[in-house]
Amino acid sequence: MGDLVKEYTARLQQQEQEIQRLSAEVESLKDPENQSLSPRLDELREENAKLKYRLNILKRSLEEESTQCSKAMVNINKRLQEIFGQAIRASCPELDNPPLAVTPNQQAKFGDYQCNSAMAMSQMLKAKGLKVNPREIAEKIIQNLPDNDLVLKTEIAGPGFINIHLKKTFVSKLLSNLLINGVQPPPLASKKKVVIDFSSPNIAKEMHVGHLRSTIIGDSMCRLFEFLGYDVLRLNHVGDWGTQFGMLIAHLQDKFPDYLTVSPPISDLQAFYKESKKRFDEEEEFKKRAYQCVVRLQSKEPDFIKGWNLICDVSRSEFQKIYDCLDIEIIERGESFYQDMMTAVVKEFEERGFMQLDEGRKIVFAPGQSVPLTVVKSDGGYTYDTSDLAALRQRIFDEKADIIIYVTDSGQASHFQLVFAAAQMIGWYDPQVTRVEHAGFGVVLGEDKKKFKTRSGDTVRLMDLLDEGLKRCMDKLKEKERDKVLTPEELTKAQRSVAFGCVKYADLSHNRINDYVFSFDKMLDDRGNTAAYLLYAFTRIRSIARLANIDEETLKKAAETTEVLLDHEKEWKLGKCILRFPEILQKILDDLLLHTLCDYLYELATTFTEFYDSCYCVEKDRQTGEVIKVNMWRMLLCEATAAIMAKCFDILGINPVHRM
């Protein structure tokens, strides 16, 4: 936007100079017959008027954009990188792409942030045959720092670290801005389309803990991108097509012959699936009929499509119970959606000469991959490889996605690597332009560190797991005698908030790449980095103003009129911690590791506790308990902490309650 304004302004100035020159020339020409310049002058004046009009529109848009930006939270690290990046380039112009490293300082006594570029720059110069001490480079960087409103002072430490101290007035203004405008995301350069493929259970099978991880992680990623202003499409790539539907429809015909007119009472689809699988494995006649049913389903015969829909509907209603518990919004778009697109995909690979024949199969080798994709089986059928290629193609060309993320277990990493490599080979996307990524995760383990199973060795049903969480949470609440102070409705709300919040947080607070041990005891512990602790901490922070009889209107007015003082070291520490929120989101955007947000949330809660223990927000009479004095700037720090915590919970998909 700013570049366009510069371009139009330059063109305007150029034209106005030409108009002045031509006007002067016309004036000087007294010969009435000499009219050759007049049409050119009129033409220029007309274009000039159009340019002025467009320039005014651009300037107005720019003003609106900067007003919007002023409401948004500032990424302090990014601002420092811009300032130090400029200084680094000015101090060593002979270096191409000099390293830029600005990080929060681990020890507060040395400053707030640290620039660690000088040492790496010294090494780069050494490689060019120039020997320069890193401290000298650090001094040059400091000398070349442009004027700015956030750096109070800088100091060189050790071999060439630059310690950065922020201005308290700058931090205070940012906190006031947050309190007045709410938690606003940093402005986006452009609104990109994001497709996130997550959850993806199989029809006619129970959702298990693996699906739980995909559902929780995928939903949280969607919430992050949505908060940051991206256009997000949440997709559920369910397994709703394939040979297993032949045996299910054949079994449906036998067990409920009138299924076309009377809806079959299939209450336990898992048992129904096991029955049909047993018959498929043991009865040759049934097996033949099952294959015939597959062919007739793929030919889209109405009776078979109806049977298929009935089975899918039973599964959908079971899945929806889970999604309702976990507050998940998702659009179902299963494998069946891509069936008609697969032929075109196969044809495209054949026409481009990428297809090879291998014992009747049609396979594709992608560059740098030792294993091929099987796109057509020897019997002429398609595979998961084919449907995943078709899905990726549809998302790139029809959805016009800029970012596509697949949230599945790490066991599928090599499969997606092949699919992505083949899509790049055929030219569907350029990884420099379109981000296509597999966000893999580890398995869920039991407390015995083995794969999470029931005592009988079966896969744990997800609904049973969530019910167990609700039961244990209610026991915990009653143990704390919350049932004596909360209404039955409040108690149920607290139970659901803590139970489901704990399940989600336990998953998200672990690095998704690693396996994690599922333990209700640890999840529901209200000490340490758990949802139970954080939800209680949040409720306490929210209650501070209420117990001091300060209403929302008073706080709102105070945010506009009261300066947030940061004189006490714990006030300063909390203020900076609050404002690191945009930096944290940027990091997660880059690596898709959500445990960073959980770590930050826990750090914010513990930093708040340090502040609250050291700094009186409300001073009361020891005898009467009456409020004597309210330190309003500290109340505002409480509000700012609560606002950021609430947004963290929202991104993690956790729903805090006001009383618990």
Side-chain angles (χ1 to χ4, degrees):
M1 179 73 77
D3 291 341
L4 272 174
V5 171
K6 280 179 195 165
E7 186 194 324
Y8 282 132
T9 306
R11 278 170 63 188
L12 259 179
Q13 286 168 350
Q14 197 181 339
Q15 285 193 349
E16 280 174 350
Q17 282 168 7
E18 199 174 342
I19 287 169
Q20 283 169 7
R21 185 180 62 75
L22 287 170
S23 298
E25 208 170 314
V26 169
E27 283 298 314
S28 69
L29 292 170
K30 300 298 179 187
D31 185 351
E33 289 178 17
N34 194 350
Q35 296 295 321
S36 60
L37 286 173
S38 185
R40 173 75 181 127
L41 186 64
D42 291 342
E43 191 185 307
L44 268 172
R45 280 193 171 132
E46 190 181 333
E47 197 184 335
N48 188 265
K50 285 178 186 172
L51 269 174
K52 275 184 177 168
Y53 174 72
R54 287 169 79 181
L55 186 65
N56 285 333
I57 288 175
L58 275 169
K59 278 180 177 170
R60 270 205 304 275
S61 300
L62 201 61
E63 280 164 20
E64 282 170 22
E65 200 175 283
S66 51
T67 305
Q68 194 61 39
C69 290
S70 67
K71 288 183 179 179
M73 286 192 77
V74 170
N75 184 332
I76 296 175
N77 198 324
K78 197 177 173 189
R79 281 282 297 275
L80 287 170
Q81 284 184 23
E82 287 164 7
I83 291 162
F84 276 82
Q86 199 177 322
I88 286 165
R89 286 188 296 275
S91 59
C92 276
E94 62 269 42
L95 287 181
D96 296 325
N97 295 321
L100 175 60
V102 178
T103 55
N105 215 322
Q106 296 307 308
Q107 290 181 284
K109 62 181 177 182
F110 295 131
D112 307 310
Y113 284 80
Q114 195 173 70
C115 175
N116 304 332
S117 301
M119 286 73 75
M121 288 166 72
S122 175
Q123 290 300 315
M124 286 175 81
L125 288 167
K126 194 178 176 183
K128 284 177 172 276
L130 298 165
K131 197 173 179 185
V132 189
N133 187 303
R135 283 186 74 95
E136 282 178 46
I137 297 170
E139 278 164 17
K140 265 191 178 182
I141 293 169
I142 290 170
Q143 284 161 15
N144 282 291
L145 282 174
D147 289 341
N148 62 84
D149 57 352
L150 65 160
V151 178
L152 175 69
K153 64 173 181 174
T154 53
E155 295 158 344
I156 300 169
F161 299 113
I162 302 173
N163 288 326
I164 305 160
H165 297 260
L166 298 176
K167 288 180 182 173
K168 285 188 176 171
T169 50
F170 174 76
V171 172
S172 178
K173 273 179 193 167
L174 291 188
L175 289 166
S176 294
N177 179 50
L178 162 65
L179 288 156
I180 292 164
N181 298 305
V183 185
Q184 301 290 340
L188 272 183
S190 60
K191 189 170 185 175
K192 291 182 175 178
K193 177 78 175 273
V194 182
V195 172
I196 301 183
D197 176 328
F198 68 105
S199 193
S200 310
N202 291 309
I203 295 290
K205 290 186 181 178
E206 295 275 8
M207 281 178 83
H208 55 73
V209 285
H211 296 122
L212 177 67
R213 288 212 80 182
S214 176
T215 305
I216 289 170
I217 294 166
D219 176 59
S220 188
M221 282 183 190
C222 291
R223 288 168 179 269
L224 171 68
F225 279 101
E226 284 159 355
F227 169 64
L228 292 170
Y230 290 83
D231 177 14
V232 179
L233 177 60
R234 302 158 157 257
L235 287 185
N236 198 0
H237 189 82
V238 296
D240 66 350
W241 203 252
T243 51
Q244 75 271 28
F245 284 94
M247 67 181 194
L248 287 165
I249 291 168
H251 190 51
L252 183 74
Q253 289 170 335
D254 292 348
K255 200 163 183 181
F256 306 103
D258 56 354
Y259 76 91
L260 292 168
T261 51
V262 180
S263 187
I266 307 172
S267 57
D268 189 344
L269 197 54
Q270 185 79 354
F272 187 85
Y273 180 88
K274 282 179 180 173
E275 285 168 17
S276 65
K277 182 76 171 79
K278 190 171 185 291
R279 290 185 69 192
F280 184 83
D281 292 339
E282 294 172 3
E283 300 172 28
E284 199 54 43
E285 191 55 43
F286 179 79
K287 194 174 193 173
K288 280 182 191 169
R289 199 152 54 83
Y291 279 128
Q292 287 166 2
C293 287
V294 172
V295 174
R296 296 179 78 177
L297 173 65
Q298 288 174 341
S299 304
K300 298 194 176 162
E301 289 186 28
D303 290 2
F304 290 83
I305 289 289
K306 179 155 189 189
W308 171 72
N309 271 322
L310 283 168
I311 292 161
C312 289
D313 284 343
V314 175
S315 264
R316 276 187 200 111
S317 66
E318 289 302 308
F319 298 158
Q320 197 55 48
K321 287 175 190 171
I322 307 278
Y323 296 145
D324 288 345
C325 281
L326 298 174
D327 191 22
I328 307 292
E329 284 182 19
I330 194 165
I331 294 166
E332 185 187 307
R333 195 179 281 177
E335 290 168 21
S336 60
F337 179 84
Y338 304 100
Q339 288 307 299
D340 297 341
M341 303 174 196
M342 293 194 210
T343 311
V345 166
V346 172
K347 191 181 174 191
E348 190 175 343
F349 274 93
E350 277 180 328
E351 286 175 352
R352 296 284 300 279
F354 292 125
M355 198 80 81
Q356 296 178 31
L357 276 173
D358 179 64
E359 297 179 354
R361 298 182 306 153
K362 290 182 178 178
I363 61 171
V364 171
F365 273 100
Q369 306 297 320
S370 56
V371 180
L373 286 165
T374 300
V375 288
V376 183
K377 293 187 289 186
S378 52
D379 64 3
Y382 296 137
T383 67
Y384 283 125
D385 294 348
T386 333
S387 71
D388 278 338
L389 282 167
L392 180 54
R393 191 182 190 286
Q394 191 274 340
R395 290 161 187 182
I396 292 166
F397 294 106
D398 297 355
E399 300 301 341
K400 297 186 169 40
D402 302 290
I403 301 169
I404 305 168
I405 298 165
Y406 294 80
V407 186
T408 74
D409 66 89
S410 296
Q412 296 188 49
S414 53
H415 163 71
F416 282 112
Q417 201 177 337
L418 292 174
V419 171
F420 301 163
Q424 287 172 49
M425 175 182 74
I426 204 166
W428 289 351
Y429 78 95
D430 175 356
Q432 301 297 318
V433 179
T434 308
R435 180 182 179 184
V436 181
E437 198 168 332
H438 173 235
F441 54 80
V443 296
V444 182
L445 305 173
E447 295 194 63
D448 57 0
K449 304 286 194 306
K450 291 178 183 171
K451 214 166 180 183
F452 196 50
K453 301 267 183 188
T454 61
R455 280 180 188 164
S456 60
D458 292 332
T459 304
V460 179
R461 288 180 74 243
L462 211 43
M463 206 63 225
D464 292 347
L465 194 75
L466 296 176
D467 286 342
E468 173 74 5
L470 285 170
K471 182 188 169 298
R472 287 192 184 221
C473 185
M474 184 56 85
D475 292 345
K476 198 93 174 169
L477 287 165
K478 285 181 176 175
E479 190 186 302
K480 286 174 167 284
E481 299 191 332
R482 301 311 294 159
D483 53 326
K484 292 177 181 173
V485 289
L486 299 175
T487 65
E489 190 188 354
E490 285 173 337
L491 190 66
T492 304
K493 272 187 178 175
Q495 176 198 24
R496 291 180 72 83
S497 170
V498 176
F500 301 144
C502 283
V503 170
K504 288 184 178 187
Y505 194 84
D507 194 320
L508 295 167
S509 61
H510 288 85
N511 185 327
R512 64 170 164 79
I513 296 163
N514 302 334
D515 298 344
Y516 96 96
V517 175
F518 191 98
S519 163
F520 273 125
D521 290 339
K522 284 180 185 169
M523 282 179 199
L524 295 167
D525 194 340
D526 54 12
R527 294 158 303 176
N529 189 6
T530 66
Y533 165 74
L534 291 164
L535 285 164
Y536 285 124
F538 179 72
T539 307
R540 281 197 300 275
I541 296 168
R542 275 277 187 242
S543 68
I544 294 166
R546 190 180 72 244
L547 295 171
N549 298 318
I550 301 167
D551 58 20
E552 269 186 51
E553 199 54 47
T554 307
L555 285 166
K556 210 173 174 183
K557 205 166 277 181
E560 292 169 359
T561 56
T562 307
E563 183 189 351
V564 181
L565 302 174
L566 301 163
D567 298 331
H568 194 287
E569 62 166 323
K570 299 300 181 187
E571 293 170 339
W572 180 236
K573 187 179 177 182
L574 179 61
K576 287 186 298 174
C577 188
I578 290 166
L579 295 177
R580 279 211 352 264
F581 182 57
E583 297 171 29
I584 300 298
L585 298 189
Q586 184 56 54
K587 186 182 182 304
I588 303 165
L589 207 56
D590 295 338
D591 61 21
L592 303 177
L593 295 171
L594 289 150
H595 68 275
T596 308
L597 185 60
C598 299
D599 291 345
Y600 167 72
L601 181 54
Y602 181 60
E603 185 193 339
L604 182 58
T606 52
T607 304
F608 178 83
T609 303
E610 285 178 30
F611 153 79
Y612 194 67
D613 290 347
S614 306
C615 305
Y616 286 116
C617 297
V618 180
E619 294 177 37
K620 293 182 179 179
D621 185 292
R622 290 191 179 181
Q623 263 74 45
T624 63
E626 193 183 330
V627 174
I628 305 166
K629 185 185 176 188
V630 173
N631 294 319
M632 193 53 84
W633 79 93
R634 287 176 177 164
M635 294 303 299
L636 292 176
L637 277 169
C638 296
E639 281 302 295
T641 304
I644 295 291
M645 286 185 78
K647 184 47 70 180
C648 289
F649 283 133
D650 186 42
I651 292 169
L652 297 169
I654 295 169
N655 182 24
V657 287
H658 290 298
R659 297 193 69 202
M660 60 187 289

